[in-house]
Amino acid sequence: VVGVDWVERALSVRRYARGGERAAHKPLLLLYALGRFQQDGDQAIPFSAAEDTLRRLLREFGPPRETSPVYPFHHLTNDDRLWVVETPDGPGSPGPTLGGLRRPGVQGRLHPELVEALSADPSLVGLMARALLEANFEQSLHQDICQEAGLDLEVADLPVRAERALPARDPQFRLTVLEAYDYTCAFCGYDGLLDGAAVGLDAAHLRWRAYDGPDDLVNGLCLCALHHRLLDRGVLGLTSDRTITVSRRYTSHSRTARTLVLDLSARPARPPGGGRPLVAPDHIAWHTDQVFRAPAFQQ
Ligand SMILES: [Zn+2]
């Protein structure tokens, strides 16, 4: 019961997302702090030691707009007993500025009450981390985020998910989408089978489930595993008329990467068969604003 309470508290940091705008800073700081707790226990985290990792987490998994690690490091102290910041002069954050937080001896740590709960219940780290991931990020990104945050979710088997935070999954979604696209990647045409069953193909969401993206064909694309990952990381996107876009911030050297990724630019995405509904423009627009790393290569 106590564990559930902490999970709810971690999920409450999502409240500040307005109108589908991604607010990933605080969840990413919490995930990072939970990773540090898993590795080092209750050690304070100097801002100077956390800054680079936080900046990278924000750049890779936060929204496309620029965000500073200053923001969550300071502002998470306002949430309910999750995070505290202290200076050599005592408790309390010096404020949301780089200059203030970079001063020697400025450090953050998980709130003492949370540390107590985490120490008493070894499954709580995983429970909170899983809930934060489910409530804020598409599933294809969970493993990458854990790796970079230093979190190991495999040490504890985790039966509980953040069900309360999300609408129930439609168990038919994957099949509906794959079938509609004739088991073919809508970007590259990949259509592999293993013993007659589709392999390496996913039903991808344009608008993330964590941001009210429905399990509906108008929010789905059948994509191969590579293109699904690149869609969720903002390398690939769609225009409102469903032309594929590639971020100009994406670079590669090999001919393979050129063929698999860069050559997709300006190609039309494959539509679903049998006159079934296309991806809806409002879901494309959400992905363009909140995930795609603009600008795109010239069409
Ligand atoms: Zn593909």
Side-chain angles (χ1 to χ4, degrees), residues 179-190:
E179 227 172 51
Y181 285 84
D182 197 20
Y183 300 90
T184 303
C185 175
F187 285 0
C188 70
Y190 169 87

Side-chain angles (χ1 to χ4, degrees), residues 185-190 201 222-228 260 264:
C185 175
F187 285 0
C188 70
Y190 169 87
L201 282 170
C222 175
L223 293 180
C224 69
L226 173 67
H227 291 138
H228 183 192
L260 290 175
L264 295 177

Side-chain angles (χ1 to χ4, degrees), residues 10 22 34 37 39 51 87 110 115 117 124-125 137 150 158 187 199 201 226 243 249 257 265 280-281 285 290 295 298:
R22 287 175 61 204
L34 289 170
F37 180 84
Q39 288 175 11
E51 187 181 348
T87 70
L110 293 173
V115 168
L124 186 55
V125 170
F137 303 96
L158 299 163
F187 285 0
V199 63
L201 282 170
L226 173 67
T243 299
R249 290 149 75 174
S265 179
Q290 302 299 326
Q298 289 297 320

Side-chain angles (χ1 to χ4, degrees), residues 10-72:
L11 293 179
S12 72
V13 305
R14 266 195 88 227
R15 270 194 306 243
Y16 304 101
R18 297 178 304 272
E21 190 173 310
R22 287 175 61 204
H25 339 72
K26 291 179 182 178
L28 285 171
L29 171 59
L30 261 182
L31 286 163
Y32 168 74
L34 289 170
R36 291 291 299 258
F37 180 84
Q38 213 176 27
Q39 288 175 11
D40 305 330
D42 176 28
Q43 283 192 30
I45 305 170
F47 179 76
S48 53
E51 187 181 348
D52 288 348
T53 308
L54 278 177
R55 202 178 289 282
R56 197 175 63 236
L57 280 165
L58 284 166
R59 195 168 51 223
E60 293 186 20
F61 305 108
R65 58 187 181 275
E66 202 63 50
T67 9
S68 163
V70 160
Y71 175 85

